[in-house]
Amino acid sequence: APKPAANVSSTPITAHECGGEIGALVELELTGRPPFAVHYRERNLRFPNSRPITRIVRTQQRRHSFKVMPDMAGTYELEFFRLEDDNYPSGQPMSATIEQAIHAQPSAKIDTLNGRISSRACMGEELELPVRLKGQGPWELVYNIVYENRRTSKTVSGITDESYTIALGAFDNAGEYTIELAQVKDGNQCARDLIDVSTVVTVREGGPRVGFQCPDNGIHVLDGEQAQMPINVAGEFPVEVQYHKVGDTSDHVHTATIRRKPQQQSSSQLASVIAYGPGEYELLAASDICAGTIDAQRARCSVHVEAKPSAWFVTDSLRRDSNDAHDTGIWRLHESCEGAALQSAFELGLSGSGPWKIDYRVDYWATGNARSGVPSFTDRTITHSLVVLQTSTLKPECCEPGLYRYTLLSVRDERYQKPQMLLAAHEAVAAEAGVTVVEHLITKSPLAELRAYSPDGTPLDTSSSSRGSFRRQPRSIKHCLAPGQSKSDGDAQTWAKLHKYLPVFRIEFEPSGKAPFQAWVEVFPASGPSEVVHLEDIAGYSQPITLPDHVASQIGRYHMRLVRTRDARGCEHQFVDPSEVGLGRADHGSAAIAGGIEIEYIEAPNARPASASPAANPSRNVCVGDVLAFELRGLNSWNVDYSYNSARRSTSVTKRLFRRIADVPGNFTLERVCHRAANECCSEFDDLSYAVHDIPRVLVSGGKDVYQDILEGDMVDIRLDLVGAPPFTFTWQRRSIDGAKVLESHTVKDLDVFSYTISAASEGTFEVTFVQDRYCQYPKA
C-alpha cells in the first residue's frame, strides 16, 4: 500500500478591530486511506524555553481545515512530524512547519483557581459564579441562563477587573440551570465568541430530612464501647448533622458529617453518629448545601451502658464471730468435719445477663500451718472455673482438713465476653459489689491412738505410729508379771493389790481435736467374745483407760483397738468399719483383728529347790559333792544365771529340772532365770544362795599309818585330829590285826574341840569309820 502523504498550507485570520491577525486557518491535503491522524507540535516562540504542546488532528476527509487561535499573543510555530492512515496505523514521518504571528484576543472562562465551583444551590438562595477575563479592558460579557429549554441572555458591561463574579439567583424554581459564557468583548471592541464555557447548577427545593432510627428502649452498649446512634437521612450527601446531649450543662454541640448514602436501609447499614457517653441525645439541625429539617418524631435517641456482670457471696448463711484460733475476720461457712459429707455450700449472688462464667481461686492452708490465713504461706493454690445458668451455689472443697479461702476473681456473662475482674473484698461495698472472699474450715477428725506404758511411765511400745491409720497387724506388746501377780494365781483381793504392777493403757489424742472427747474401744479378752468399752468426758488429750478386771485379769494374750472417736464439735473418726466390730475373737489369731494393741501377759519364770535335793535345806548349807537341783516353772526354755565362788555363769535349760554339783567348797547362788522366748521376762532370787562346806575329816596319828608295839598291861595314846566345823560326831573301831573282825566300836558325839585321844591297852587296828561336823558327814547317809 502507498504510504500516506500530506500537503500543509495556512491562511492568517485577520480582525481589524482586534489589531490584526488573531489566528491561522490550516488546510490539509491528504493522500492515503482514511481515517487520518496528523500529529504536530505547537510552540510559542515568545517563550523559547517553554515545552511544545503536541496536538493531533483526526479526520475522515482527504481535505481538512482547522483554526489555530490561541489566547496568548506571540509568534507560533506549528511543526507537523507524523501522519497515520488506515494502512499505516503506526504512522509515517513527515516534515512541515508553519509560523504565524498572532495578536491577543479577549477571553473569559469560569474561574476554578480558588476552589471548586458550586454546582448545587437551594431555592431562594443566591449563587456566585467567578469568571476570569483576559485581554484589554474594560470588558463586556454576555452569558446565558438555560432552564427547562428556555434561554435568558444577560450582558454585563464596564468590567474593569480581570476577576469578576456573576451574581445568580435567588432561584425561584428547583431544577437544573446551565450557565453559559457566550461572548466577551474587550476595550478595543474586539469581540470573541466563547464555545463550551459553561457550568450546570442544580437547584434543590429543600435540604435533607434527618431522624434517629433508634429502638424504643434506646441503644444498649457495653461499658467502654462507643455507641453509634443510627439515623435515617434523606437528602444529598455529604450531610452535616448537629446534635447535643440533653441536660449537658456545657451546651456543647456535636457535629457529624454523613458523607455517603448507605447501600441498604437495614438497621445495620444505616448511617450513624457517635454517642459520647450514656444519656439522651437530640438532633438540632441538618444540612447539605441546603438547610434541612429534623423529624420531630425521631429527634431523640437514648444510649444506655449495660451494667457489668458481678458475682458475690451471699452472707445470710455465713458467720463471722468465732473464738477459733484460725479466725481471720472473714465471712465463713459453718465448720465441717474431716471425712463428713458436706451439708452446705456457698450461695452466689449474680447480676448481669446469664449464663455466667466465674473464675475463682482456692487457697489452702493445711492443719498445723503456723501461718494459716497468710497469703504468702499457702500450702496449695488452685484456680477453677464455674458456669452458672441462674442463681447458684459454689460447692466447697473437701476433704483435707485445714483452712480454705475462696476468692471470686472474675465474671463474664452473655454480654460481656471479656472477663470482668472483681474486687477482692470481705466486706460488701455496694448492692451489687458484695463479698468476694469467704472461708471454710474443715476440722481435722479427732485422731487418737492407744499406748501402753510400764507402771513407771516408760513406753512399752516405742515404735512410731500414724494416728488414725492403724496397720493390719496389731502392735504386739509382751508384759512380764512377777510370779503371783496374775489373778489366776490368787483371789480378787490379791489381784487388786497387784494392779499397780500392770501396764497402764492410755488413749492419746492429737491436739487438733477439741475436748471433751469420747472414744469407743473394742477389747478382746484372752477368752470369750469381744466387747466395746465407751469412754466419755475425756477432758484432756491423754487419759488412762480403765478396763474391766475380767478383761485383763489372767495370764495370756488379749487385744484392744480404737473403734471410733468423737470430739466436742461432733467430729468423728471411724477407725474400724462398723460391720467389723464384734467379729474378731482372740482365739482366731491376730489376723482377725485389724490394728490396735496386742497385749500378752507372760508370768516371769520361777525356780524352787527340788524337794529331794539338798538345795531344799532351809539353812542353805550344802556339802561338797551334793547335787543342787531346782524345779523351773514357766515356758519350756530358760536361761539360768548363777554364780559359784564369785564366778558368774549362764546356761540354757530346756528341762524343768536344773542341777549343779557342789564340787568345791565356797558359795553358790542361783541369781536369775529368764524365758528364752521373752528374754526380758526374768525372775531374780535373793533366797537361793548356798554355802558349800567341805567334807569333815579325821586324821589318825597325824594322818599317817603308825605301827606300834605295846606290852601287856601297858596303855598307848592314839591322837585323832578333826577337820571341819564343830561340834563333831565320829565313830572309831578297833579291828583285828588282819582287819577281818571288828573287835570294838565307839561313837563320840558333840565334840567341840578339834582333837581327841584314844587310850588303848589292846592290840588291833584303829580307824575312824564315820565323821560328822556341823554341816556335813562322811560317808553320806
Side-chain angles (χ1 to χ4, degrees):
K3 295 179 179 180
N7 183 27
V8 180
S9 61
S10 67
T11 302
I13 300 173
T14 302
H16 297 289
E17 65 276 13
C18 296
E21 298 172 351
I22 60 174
L25 179 62
V26 179
E27 294 185 358
L28 299 175
E29 293 181 3
L30 304 171
T31 60
R33 185 172 180 173
F36 300 97
V38 181
H39 297 252
Y40 71 95
R41 299 183 184 96
E42 177 184 303
R43 180 185 291 112
N44 190 341
L45 299 180
R46 183 181 171 187
F47 304 99
N49 295 326
S50 63
R51 298 182 67 179
I53 299 174
T54 300
R55 301 183 188 277
I56 303 174
V57 179
R58 300 183 186 276
T59 180
Q60 294 283 346
Q61 308 299 322
R62 287 184 172 85
R63 291 181 66 87
H64 180 74
S65 62
F66 62 93
K67 292 179 180 182
V68 177
M69 299 177 68
D71 293 336
M72 189 175 293
T75 300
Y76 284 82
E77 178 186 77
L78 305 180
E79 178 189 1
F80 295 85
F81 62 91
R82 189 166 75 239
L83 173 62
E84 299 172 5
D85 70 351
D86 190 50
N87 293 327
Y88 293 89
S90 60
Q92 290 294 314
M94 64 172 292
S95 179
T97 303
I98 296 174
E99 286 190 7
Q100 177 67 52
I102 295 176
H103 298 279
Q105 279 186 292
S107 66
K109 64 179 181 179
I110 298 173
D111 188 3
T112 60
L113 293 178
N114 294 324
R116 184 179 177 185
I117 300 300
S118 177
S119 61
R120 296 184 297 173
C122 304
M123 286 180 55
E125 182 181 79
E126 293 184 353
L127 184 68
E128 293 182 344
L129 183 66
V131 177
R132 182 167 290 278
L133 302 169
K134 288 185 179 181
Q136 181 67 40
W139 292 273
E140 179 183 280
L141 179 63
V142 179
Y143 65 93
N144 301 323
I145 300 176
V146 181
Y147 174 70
E148 292 184 350
N149 298 324
R150 295 194 304 271
R151 187 183 302 271
T152 302
S153 182
K154 294 186 179 184
T155 301
V156 181
S157 301
I159 301 173
T160 58
D161 197 338
E162 290 183 350
S163 295
Y164 178 74
T165 300
I166 300 174
L168 302 173
F171 297 97
D172 297 328
N173 299 301
E176 284 192 353
Y177 291 79
T178 302
I179 314 300
E180 300 176 340
L181 301 184
Q183 187 185 70
V184 63
K185 185 186 293 184
D186 62 10
N188 296 323
Q189 298 302 305
C190 176
R192 183 179 182 181
D193 294 332
L194 303 176
I195 301 173
D196 293 335
V197 183
S198 64
T199 186
V200 176
V201 175
T202 301
V203 177
R204 294 179 54 221
E205 185 175 354
R209 183 175 177 81
V210 177
F212 280 123
Q213 198 73 20
C214 292
D216 293 340
N217 61 345
I219 295 175
H220 294 260
V221 295
L222 302 183
D223 186 37
E225 291 185 352
Q226 194 170 58
Q228 298 286 338
M229 296 181 290
I231 60 174
N232 193 5
V233 180
E236 294 193 12
F237 295 85
V239 175
E240 186 176 271
V241 178
Q242 292 182 331
Y243 60 102
H244 77 140
K245 182 188 287 189
V246 177
D248 187 357
T249 57
S250 67
D251 294 330
H252 180 73
V253 176
H254 303 283
T255 301
T257 300
I258 313 301
R259 299 195 176 278
R260 59 188 180 88
K261 185 176 182 180
Q263 297 294 324
Q264 301 178 12
Q265 289 300 315
S266 65
S267 59
S268 61
Q269 296 292 330
L270 287 174
S272 61
V273 295
I274 297 174
Y276 297 91
E280 186 177 27
Y281 290 83
E282 181 180 23
L283 291 172
L284 300 177
S287 63
D288 43 21
I289 61 169
C290 305
T293 58
I294 303 299
D295 185 347
Q297 300 298 322
R298 298 182 178 273
R300 293 195 176 193
C301 180
S302 297
V303 175
H304 308 279
V305 175
E306 293 285 357
K308 291 182 178 180
S310 185
W312 63 92
F313 291 106
V314 178
T315 58
D316 295 348
S317 60
L318 305 181
R319 63 174 183 81
R320 298 195 61 164
D321 298 328
S322 173
N323 295 323
D324 193 280
H326 295 283
D327 187 55
T328 57
I330 297 176
W331 288 98
R332 188 178 286 182
L333 194 67
H334 291 290
E335 293 179 5
S336 300
C337 298
E338 178 186 8
L342 297 176
Q343 301 297 326
S344 56
F346 294 109
E347 183 180 353
L348 293 175
L350 300 164
S351 66
S353 179
W356 294 264
K357 183 176 182 181
I358 301 172
D359 293 332
Y360 66 96
R361 184 182 69 242
V362 181
D363 297 314
Y364 168 70
W365 292 268
T367 299
N369 187 333
R371 302 290 185 93
S372 180
V374 180
S376 56
F377 290 91
T378 60
D379 292 291
R380 183 173 66 243
T381 296
I382 303 176
T383 301
H384 300 279
S385 293
L386 174 68
V387 176
V388 181
L389 297 178
Q390 53 188 348
T391 302
S392 183
T393 58
L394 189 154
K395 186 177 180 180
E397 298 270 331
C398 74
C399 299
E400 296 179 63
L403 178 63
Y404 294 82
R405 180 175 297 167
Y406 299 82
T407 303
L408 300 180
L409 301 176
S410 65
V411 61
R412 67 188 83 176
D413 65 358
E414 186 178 11
R415 295 190 180 98
Y416 286 83
Q417 296 299 314
K418 183 179 180 181
Q420 303 299 308
M421 305 309 294
L422 298 173
L423 177 67
H426 57 271
E427 294 284 356
V429 296
E432 293 186 354
V435 173
T436 58
V437 180
V438 293
E439 292 180 344
H440 182 215
L441 182 65
I442 296 181
T443 304
K444 195 170 184 180
S445 61
L447 299 181
E449 69 174 349
L450 300 176
R451 297 295 304 273
Y453 295 87
S454 62
D456 62 1
T458 302
L460 296 178
D461 176 29
T462 57
S463 61
S464 61
S465 65
S466 177
R467 292 180 173 91
S469 56
F470 289 102
R471 295 158 291 190
R472 289 297 300 174
Q473 292 297 325
R475 289 173 289 163
S476 181
I477 299 174
K478 297 180 184 294
H479 184 70
C480 185
L481 291 176
Q485 287 184 346
S486 67
K487 191 172 182 179
S488 57
D489 289 340
D491 56 18
Q493 185 176 5
T494 304
W495 170 254
K497 293 179 181 179
L498 296 177
H499 227 291
K500 61 182 179 179
Y501 298 106
L502 297 178
V504 177
F505 300 104
R506 306 185 71 89
I507 180 170
E508 297 181 355
F509 289 87
E510 284 191 352
S512 57
K514 186 176 182 179
F517 300 95
Q518 298 181 62
W520 287 261
V521 181
E522 186 177 17
V523 184
F524 302 83
S527 61
S530 67
E531 64 177 281
V532 176
V533 178
H534 182 198
L535 307 175
E536 298 183 273
D537 296 325
I538 302 174
Y541 293 108
S542 177
Q543 178 168 307
I545 299 175
T546 301
L547 299 176
D549 284 346
H550 70 276
V551 172
S553 61
Q554 53 189 310
I555 299 300
R557 176 185 300 175
Y558 71 96
H559 309 260
M560 61 180 172
R561 65 180 178 182
L562 276 172
V563 175
R564 179 162 53 105
T565 55
R566 179 187 297 163
D567 67 1
R569 296 185 180 96
C571 293
E572 293 189 355
H573 188 88
Q574 192 79 35
F575 295 88
V576 180
D577 189 324
S579 63
E580 296 181 1
V581 176
L583 297 181
R585 296 291 185 271
D587 54 355
H588 290 170
S590 61
I593 304 171
I597 296 179
E598 177 185 272
I599 300 293
E600 184 177 4
Y601 280 147
I602 302 173
E603 186 176 24
N606 198 4
R608 304 314 307 165
S611 59
S613 169
N617 185 355
S619 68
R620 297 297 187 255
N621 291 302
V622 296
C623 303
V624 172
D626 286 347
V627 176
L628 303 179
F630 301 89
E631 293 180 356
L632 302 181
R633 297 180 182 178
L635 304 179
N636 291 331
S637 181
W638 300 266
N639 287 328
V640 179
D641 297 337
Y642 63 94
S643 63
Y644 202 162
N645 291 337
S646 301
R648 294 181 178 276
R649 293 179 176 86
S650 180
T651 185
S652 297
V653 180
T654 58
K655 296 182 180 181
R656 291 191 173 273
L657 196 63
F658 170 66
R659 294 183 177 89
R660 276 295 178 267
I661 298 175
D663 51 359
V664 293
N667 290 291
F668 176 91
T669 301
L670 184 65
E671 296 179 342
R672 186 172 70 166
V673 177
C674 301
H675 286 306
R676 292 183 65 186
N679 202 37
E680 294 182 358
C681 189
C682 304
S683 291
E684 296 183 354
F685 308 99
D686 55 7
D687 62 342
L688 297 181
S689 293
Y690 298 87
V692 180
H693 301 279
D694 202 355
I695 300 299
R697 292 172 293 155
V698 178
L699 301 179
V700 179
S701 299
K704 299 177 182 179
D705 292 334
V706 177
Y707 299 91
Q708 185 175 354
D709 295 327
I710 61 172
L711 298 176
E712 186 176 356
D714 289 341
M715 297 290 291
V716 176
D717 289 333
I718 302 172
R719 178 182 176 83
L720 302 179
D721 293 311
L722 290 92
V723 178
F728 296 100
T729 296
F730 61 91
T731 299
W732 63 271
Q733 294 177 344
R734 182 173 66 84
R735 290 178 175 274
S736 59
I737 293 301
D738 57 7
K741 184 177 181 181
V742 176
L743 301 177
E744 62 178 305
S745 177
H746 301 276
T747 298
V748 178
K749 296 182 178 180
D750 299 326
L751 181 66
D752 291 328
V753 295
F754 293 94
S755 63
Y756 182 80
T757 301
I758 300 173
S759 297
S762 302
E763 66 173 359
T765 300
F766 293 82
E767 63 179 353
V768 176
T769 59
F770 170 79
V771 61
Q772 176 182 336
D773 65 2
R774 181 180 297 176
Y775 303 107
C776 303
Q777 68 181 36
Y778 182 84
K780 290 183 178 294

